[in-house]
Amino acid sequence: MQSLPKDAAAVILLRQNTDPKNPEVFWVKRSEKLAFLGGFYAFPGGQLDPSDVEARLENSPDKETAAMISGAARELFEELGVLAARGAATLTVGQRASLLDDLTSGRMSWPELLLHYDLHLDARDFTFAGRWVTPPFSARRFDTWFFLVECPSKQQPEVIPGELEHGEWIRASDAYARWERSEVLAVPPILHALKTLAGGITTDLVERFLSISQAHGEPVRRIEFRPNYICFPVRTPTRPPATHTNCYLIYTSKAVLVIDPGSPYEDEQRVLHSAVEELLAEGRSLSMVLLTHVHPDHVGGVVAFRDHFGPTTVAAHPVTAQVLHDSIQVDSWLDDEQVLQLEGEPSIALRVLHTPGHARGHLCLHERRTGTLIAGDNIVGLGSVLIDPPEGNMHDYFASLERMRTIPNLSVIFGGHGPAMANPYAKIEEYINHRLDREEKILHAVRSGAGTTKEIVAVVYTDVSTKAHTMAERAVLAHLEKLEADGLLKREGEGWSTFEHSSHSTEL
């Protein structure tokens, strides 16, 4: 089931008296520790607070707009210390700092603060610049209103430590150029704003902001986190909490590579086919369809794709090809360290990595030039990865994670589900530590007398719903098999025990 978007607001902060032909905007980098879009570049903003609607605001056309403007102004103050309120011009730097402390400490709510210091908001200071909805492939979704705001006189934005890593004034054209050089990651509404502003502050600026359907709340389907790498989530019968599987369209001036067209649903297949047709209509040819692994939510649309586009090379690892031979014809076998060079510009060379664990024939793809890793289901941006024997093997999975950790200069991971991950090494480390922690708890549970997978799950998986215990038992089995291979546990009928203790031991 898709999560419902929460109301949010963001501010595109313009430098006061900026050059209208080459305007400067203040952007921020989100902390890599954040679960949602950690490491991405963005604009200050966040989720609305229930009290935002109570703030005093003049010249607003309706209550909803008033609440959004209030939330945008509060977030701007909380994150950058910029107070875009009428009456704030008489406050000193120290006084604004005192007000911010009152707000963040909880001594005063946002409406109380404005009232107490005789401040108010004015809708004329906030120009509506679009309403964007997070795609349904994300666990955290927002319906975000964007507002253009000129930085008030004598105020300088400064990143408040916490959710943001740093911020800076930058010309919109320079910021967009950094994205084009694959130096930063940003989501579509940020890129659209930067590209629009790079065209100059003209009389039709707002019209240009609102010129695309996505700026009116239509969820984005084509997500280009990085130039030439399109993430196209398609609805699939995948495991919760995911509802979609990411199909990737990697393109150059001459070629398109399609990875994991996984949806078995005709409506989803149609929109994917349309997106590929748009790329082909610009003079490109279809290179191949590549499958990262065998699971149905990654291969469910292959036959329909071939039926629509005609003869198409399908490539996969030999093990995947063998498993699929009755349902999908795989024409090309991909081996470890093979390099796929896409024809055209820019130069994209993808190194194939055989990374078993989640599946025996699992493949990842690495591009050294941009530090991009397409990780399939080995690392995902939503939920966790299930290692389910016999197709899944925990020993192999650890080895694959360790291998990915040694890849130099990674800058982004594109997973099979959820948003891109701009903190690749931290994410890999998180996965390894999580598995090691689970393994240690499982080993301790067995030493304490838990012998069956059901008993172990009851002891170890106290942080998950009982509805997920059946799946957790499969994950426990994968860990037990690894511990057996490591010589730390042994099977005893349908149960498990250590070599030092019997399965009935209660020693702690």
Side-chain angles (χ1 to χ4, degrees):
M1 183 177 179
Q2 297 178 12
S3 59
L4 294 175
K6 298 181 183 297
D7 289 333
V11 171
I12 306 168
L13 188 65
L14 295 172
R15 194 162 209 161
Q16 190 179 50
N17 300 320
T18 191
D19 180 359
K21 295 181 180 180
N22 200 6
E24 289 183 84
V25 65
F26 197 88
W27 71 347
V28 297
K29 184 180 182 182
R30 294 171 56 82
S31 169
E32 291 191 355
K33 296 178 181 179
L34 293 176
F36 181 72
L37 300 181
F40 276 67
Y41 278 76
F43 298 130
Q47 187 174 330
L48 255 61
D49 187 278
S51 68
D52 287 335
V53 70
E54 301 169 11
R56 180 187 168 195
L57 185 137
E58 295 183 355
N59 299 307
S60 178
D62 54 70
K63 287 186 177 180
E64 184 181 25
T65 302
M68 292 297 176
I69 289 175
S70 175
R74 176 185 50 77
E75 287 286 337
L76 179 64
F77 190 42
E78 288 180 345
E79 294 191 340
L80 299 183
V82 172
L83 186 55
R86 297 291 177 103
T90 61
L91 300 175
T92 66
V93 173
Q95 287 173 323
R96 287 199 305 273
S98 178
L99 266 65
L100 181 58
D101 186 60
D102 285 340
L103 179 63
T104 56
S105 66
R107 286 192 294 271
M108 283 189 180
S109 70
W110 173 241
E112 290 170 342
L113 182 145
L114 294 175
L115 182 63
H116 182 78
Y117 291 98
D118 195 25
L119 305 171
H120 71 274
L121 305 174
D122 194 311
R124 292 172 297 183
D125 299 331
F126 296 78
T127 302
F128 178 69
R131 181 175 181 176
W132 291 71
V133 176
T134 309
F137 74 159
S138 178
R140 298 190 64 187
R141 302 184 65 211
F142 298 96
D143 181 349
T144 305
W145 292 40
F146 286 80
F147 296 95
L148 279 168
V149 176
E150 184 178 54
C151 189
S153 176
K154 299 180 182 179
Q155 293 195 44
Q156 175 60 33
E158 293 184 9
V159 166
I160 309 299
E163 293 187 355
L164 305 180
E165 191 172 303
H166 71 80
E168 62 181 342
W169 288 112
I170 187 171
R171 298 194 185 281
S173 57
D174 292 341
Y176 192 77
R178 287 189 62 188
W179 176 78
E180 289 184 307
R181 295 193 298 269
S182 299
E183 295 175 0
V184 300
L185 285 170
V187 292
I190 307 304
L191 295 172
H192 175 67
L194 293 173
K195 191 173 183 179
T196 301
L197 284 171
I201 299 177
T202 57
T203 55
D204 65 343
L205 177 63
V206 173
E207 183 180 339
R208 288 189 285 123
F209 264 108
L210 304 179
S211 63
I212 60 175
S213 59
Q214 291 82 8
H216 298 272
E218 181 180 309
V220 182
R221 292 303 302 258
R222 170 178 167 156
I223 308 165
E224 200 157 351
F225 289 117
R226 167 149 288 171
N228 302 97
Y229 286 80
I230 297 172
C231 174
F232 201 96
V234 288
R235 183 169 47 86
T236 61
T238 188
R239 295 183 185 275
T243 56
H244 289 63
T245 298
N246 292 336
C247 175
Y248 289 99
L249 311 177
I250 304 176
Y251 68 96
T252 65
S253 59
K254 293 185 178 181
V256 180
L257 169 65
V258 179
I259 300 175
D260 289 351
S263 182
Y265 307 125
E266 289 186 9
D267 58 335
E268 292 294 285
Q269 291 167 356
R270 282 195 297 271
V271 292
L272 174 61
H273 297 167
S274 177
V276 174
E277 286 170 348
E278 288 180 15
L279 293 171
L280 298 180
E282 294 171 345
R284 302 177 182 90
S285 60
L286 191 57
S287 174
M288 68 171 64
V289 171
L290 190 152
L291 307 179
T292 60
H293 62 290
V294 71
H295 290 152
D297 60 324
H298 289 257
V299 305
V302 174
V303 172
F305 194 94
R306 252 189 180 142
D307 288 344
H308 184 82
F309 287 99
T312 305
T313 298
V314 175
H317 189 271
V319 172
T320 301
Q322 182 181 20
V323 176
L324 294 175
H325 77 278
D326 286 337
S327 56
I328 297 173
Q329 177 185 333
V330 175
D331 313 285
S332 178
W333 288 5
L334 299 176
D335 294 318
D336 190 46
E337 294 294 345
Q338 187 173 337
V339 176
L340 302 176
Q341 179 73 53
L342 296 188
E343 184 183 5
E345 296 296 331
S347 176
I348 296 181
L350 298 167
R351 181 168 64 109
V352 177
L353 305 176
H354 180 215
T355 50
H358 178 66
R360 291 176 298 139
H362 195 288
L363 298 176
C364 291
L365 300 168
H366 171 231
E367 191 201 9
R368 180 177 299 178
R369 179 180 63 87
T370 59
T372 300
L373 178 66
I374 297 175
D377 271 1
N378 272 356
I379 300 176
V380 295
L382 173 62
S384 59
V385 174
L386 176 63
I387 310 302
D388 188 1
E391 184 66 31
N393 182 286
M394 191 64 72
H395 207 284
D396 289 345
Y397 186 57
F398 266 103
S400 292
L401 289 176
E402 290 288 353
R403 184 180 185 188
M404 287 187 281
R405 180 162 65 172
T406 64
I407 298 174
N409 302 318
L410 282 184
S411 62
V412 64
I413 294 176
F414 293 137
H417 306 275
M421 291 154 275
N423 52 347
Y425 295 109
K427 181 60 69 173
I428 296 171
E429 199 71 28
E430 175 189 320
Y431 267 55
I432 292 173
N433 290 337
H434 172 71
R435 296 292 175 174
L436 288 174
D437 180 64
R438 286 285 195 211
E439 184 174 287
E440 183 61 32
K441 289 178 178 177
I442 289 169
L443 191 57
H444 181 75
V446 175
R447 286 171 174 163
S448 300
T452 66
T453 55
K454 188 180 293 293
E455 292 169 344
I456 294 168
V457 166
V459 174
V460 174
Y461 283 77
T462 56
D463 57 339
V464 302
S465 166
T466 54
K467 295 179 181 179
H469 277 197
T470 299
M471 193 181 301
E473 285 187 47
R474 303 303 301 169
V476 164
L477 177 59
H479 276 288
L480 292 170
E481 289 180 348
K482 176 183 179 294
L483 290 167
E484 181 183 33
D486 292 341
L488 297 173
L489 294 180
K490 60 182 177 181
R491 293 177 189 260
E492 288 190 345
E494 295 184 359
W496 298 79
S497 69
T498 65
F499 287 97
E500 314 95 74
H501 307 287
S502 72
S503 60
H504 301 292
S505 171
T506 56
E507 180 178 341
L508 296 174

